[in-house]
Amino acid sequence: MTDKNNEPQFNDKERNLTFYKDGYTIAAREVTDFDNLTPLFKGMQSQYNAISQLTQSFAMRTHQQHKPIACEKGCNWCCHQPVYMTTQEALLIYEYIIQTSDRKQLETFRNNAEKKLKKTKNLPEEKKQNIIHPCAFLSDGACSIYPVRPMACRIYLSASKVSCKKKYDNPGNKDIFPELFDFLLKAGKYMNEGFVGFLKGKGRKMEELTIEEFMVKLFKNPDFYKKWLVEDSFNAESKHK
C-alpha cells in the first residue's frame, strides 16, 4: 500500500513492530556481552544515532510542510516535568557525569535530584505529572547531559513553543497539550522497548523510573552497575545488605 508520493504506508501496529525490531536488532548486534558496560553503551549510541537520523529526516519533511520542529536550545518548558527512563539509560547518564563533572557539579546534580524526588515521591502518577520542577540536569536554561539524554527527551519534539509554554503554565489542565509529533514519539518509544526487550531476554532486570529516582539511587549505590551486570536490579542489591 502506498500514498500519492509512492511511499509505503503502514498501520500503527506494523509501524510500531518495525521500530521495536530496529531497537532489538541494534541491541543484539552491539551488546555482545556483559563483562563490562562498554558493549551496552556502544549499542545505546547506535540506537541514539538511529533516532537522530530519523529525526533529521522528519525535520526536513516538517519544514517542507511549513510546520517545522520548534525545539531549540534555551527553550526548556518541557524540562520541568517528570521524565521516565530505563535502567540502561540511567547507567549511561551516571557514567557520563562521573567522567565529565567535578566534585562540585556532582554535588549539585545530587542535590537537584534529591530536591525533585522529595517533591514528587509517593505521589500518584496523575499528581506527579502536575508538579513543575526543573530537571536535575537543567543548568542555565540548557541540558547539561545533552549527548546522553534519555530517549524520552530525544523524541519529545513540538511544533509550537506557545503550546509548550501553555502546558507549563497549566500543568493540571487535561485539555491543554503541547503540539508534539506523534510519529517520533511512537518511533522512539518502540525502538527503546525493542532494545530493552533484548536486555530482558539476556537476563537483565529492567526498571523504569524518573530521572531523579534513578540518580538518587545511583549516587547512593555507585557500584550498582557491577551487580546489575550479574544480578540486574536494585532489589537484588538490597538483599545483600
Side-chain angles (χ1 to χ4, degrees):
M1 182 178 181
T2 60
D3 65 6
K4 62 183 179 180
N5 295 315
N6 294 319
E7 294 182 355
Q9 296 294 294
F10 304 98
N11 61 40
D12 285 346
K13 185 176 181 180
E14 291 173 328
R15 181 187 63 185
N16 296 342
L17 181 59
T18 296
F19 286 122
Y20 183 95
K21 288 180 177 178
D22 287 344
Y24 190 97
T25 299
I26 290 171
R29 183 183 67 236
E30 303 287 359
V31 188
T32 53
D33 62 68
F34 293 97
D35 294 336
N36 55 64
L37 292 172
T38 300
L40 175 68
F41 292 166
K42 181 180 178 182
M44 292 177 67
Q45 188 59 59
S46 294
Q47 179 195 31
Y48 289 159
N49 286 342
I51 200 67
S52 177
Q53 291 173 12
L54 181 64
T55 300
Q56 290 174 18
S57 297
F58 185 81
M60 291 178 63
R61 168 170 286 192
T62 60
H63 183 76
Q64 293 168 355
Q65 295 173 343
H66 306 293
K67 191 154 186 171
I69 295 173
C71 306
E72 61 182 2
K73 186 175 182 179
C75 179
N76 54 68
W77 303 119
C78 63
C79 300
H80 295 75
Q81 61 190 340
V83 173
Y84 285 85
M85 60 183 179
T86 44
T87 303
Q88 85 281 7
E89 294 178 301
L91 290 172
L92 177 61
I93 290 171
Y94 186 73
E95 179 67 16
Y96 177 82
I97 63 174
I98 291 298
Q99 295 296 328
T100 61
S101 307
D102 59 30
R103 183 176 297 181
K104 184 178 180 180
Q105 289 173 312
L106 289 174
E107 191 63 27
T108 297
F109 292 147
R110 180 171 187 164
N111 289 337
N112 289 346
E114 289 176 345
K115 287 178 181 177
K116 185 162 187 176
L117 182 58
K118 184 178 180 180
K119 199 169 184 178
T120 60
K121 191 176 182 180
N122 299 324
L123 286 178
E125 185 58 32
E126 184 175 354
K127 290 186 177 180
K128 187 181 294 186
Q129 292 296 328
N130 295 337
I131 297 295
I132 297 299
H133 190 96
C135 174
F137 298 113
L138 185 63
S139 178
D140 296 325
C143 178
S144 56
I145 57 164
Y146 193 80
V148 295
R149 66 198 186 282
M151 181 66 80
C153 298
R154 294 170 187 269
I155 59 178
Y156 195 94
L157 297 170
S158 174
S160 167
K161 293 181 186 179
V162 173
S163 70
C164 296
K165 174 63 163 59
K166 193 172 182 180
K167 183 60 179 176
Y168 173 88
D169 290 334
N170 302 275
N173 191 326
K174 297 181 180 180
D175 296 323
I176 296 177
F177 302 94
E179 295 182 26
L180 305 180
F181 293 99
D182 184 68
F183 172 77
L184 290 176
L185 287 173
K186 294 282 182 63
K189 175 180 183 293
Y190 285 97
M191 187 182 291
N192 213 41
E193 287 188 2
F195 198 99
V196 168
F198 173 82
L199 296 178
K200 286 182 177 179
K202 291 298 181 179
R204 304 306 96 187
K205 182 173 180 179
M206 305 300 294
E207 299 176 275
E208 186 175 20
L209 303 170
T210 62
I211 289 179
E212 57 272 13
E213 286 176 306
F214 263 130
M215 289 303 106
V216 169
K217 285 178 179 287
L218 288 171
F219 274 116
K220 290 181 178 178
N221 304 278
D223 290 332
F224 161 70
Y225 76 94
K226 296 178 181 178
K227 292 184 177 294
W228 183 81
L229 289 170
V230 179
E231 299 172 337
D232 34 84
S233 84
F234 291 115
N235 292 330
E237 178 200 22
S238 65
K239 292 177 183 179
H240 293 269
K241 291 187 176 180

